[in-house]
Amino acid sequence: MALLRILQYPDERLHLAAERVTVFDEALKSLVADMKETMYAAPGVGLAATQVDVQKQVIVIDLSEAKDKPMILVNPEITAMSGKSDVEEGCLSVPGIFENVDRAERVTVTAQDDEGNTFEIHADGLLSICIQHEIDHLKGKVFVEYLSRLKQTRILAKMKKLARERM
Ligand code: K1U
Ligand code: ZN
């Protein structure tokens, strides 16, 4: 397994759309294993392949306390949404920024596992928010893009300062 580098906003590659996975092979399992290790190390509760510069529709999520219940969502599609939610979100690609985002309260999602088996999830609470956040990543959208222009400008300035300090 390997720790992958997480792209930092405003890296342009975070805006690339991911492609559907058509081959369920050892390379896919290896990517999933690396993504899980990277998510746990960050630490985070979710990670989309886009964030590690892989343009494939792959997401890992683990909301368990013990970090022992990873969910793998390949080619996820939201088939139903209901209700309204306004919950604070964070993002491993935008460290130190936490903002409320308007989302659906509940989602129904169809996805495949890393062997290609199709399954359906009915999610609410943090799982619903996390799934919507990660699917946005696969479409090239970062959560800060839901915020006001003013907030986006401030976040951009903060991220550029952080990047300068890292150099
Ligand atoms: O996509 C990502 O960058 C991962 C992100 C997922 C997420 C969290 C909360 C709301 C929406 C989406 C994170 O994991 S941010 C870090 C975080 O929330 C966390 C970190 C350690 C312990 C518990 C939570
Ligand atoms: Zn994120």
Side-chain angles (χ1 to χ4, degrees), residues 129-157:
I129 302 305
C130 203
I131 288 174
Q132 292 174 69
H133 177 114
E134 304 306 339
I135 289 179
D136 271 352
H137 274 306
L138 298 182
K139 293 177 175 166
K141 185 156 184 166
V142 181
F143 87 113
V144 297
E145 289 156 20
Y146 288 104
L147 307 176
S148 69
R149 270 280 145 231
L150 178 63
K151 279 190 176 175
Q152 288 191 46
T153 304
R154 286 180 178 159
I155 290 166
L156 210 49

Side-chain angles (χ1 to χ4, degrees), residues 31-101:
L31 170 66
V32 167
D34 290 348
M35 285 177 62
K36 282 194 283 185
E37 189 182 7
T38 304
M39 171 182 69
Y40 290 135
V45 293
L47 189 69
T50 310
Q51 293 176 275
V52 292
D53 199 20
V54 176
Q55 284 76 47
K56 287 186 180 155
Q57 293 182 15
V58 180
I59 290 170
V60 294
I61 293 174
D62 192 343
L63 299 177
S64 69
E65 281 282 317
K67 301 290 164 214
D68 60 353
K69 292 184 181 57
M71 298 173 59
I72 300 156
L73 282 76
V74 177
N75 300 328
E77 279 176 35
I78 295 176
T79 56
M81 305 171 113
S82 63
K84 285 185 178 176
S85 152
D86 179 19
V87 171
E88 188 173 85
E89 299 189 14
C91 182
L92 299 176
S93 295
V94 199
I97 304 293
F98 298 91
E99 293 283 351
N100 282 43
V101 176

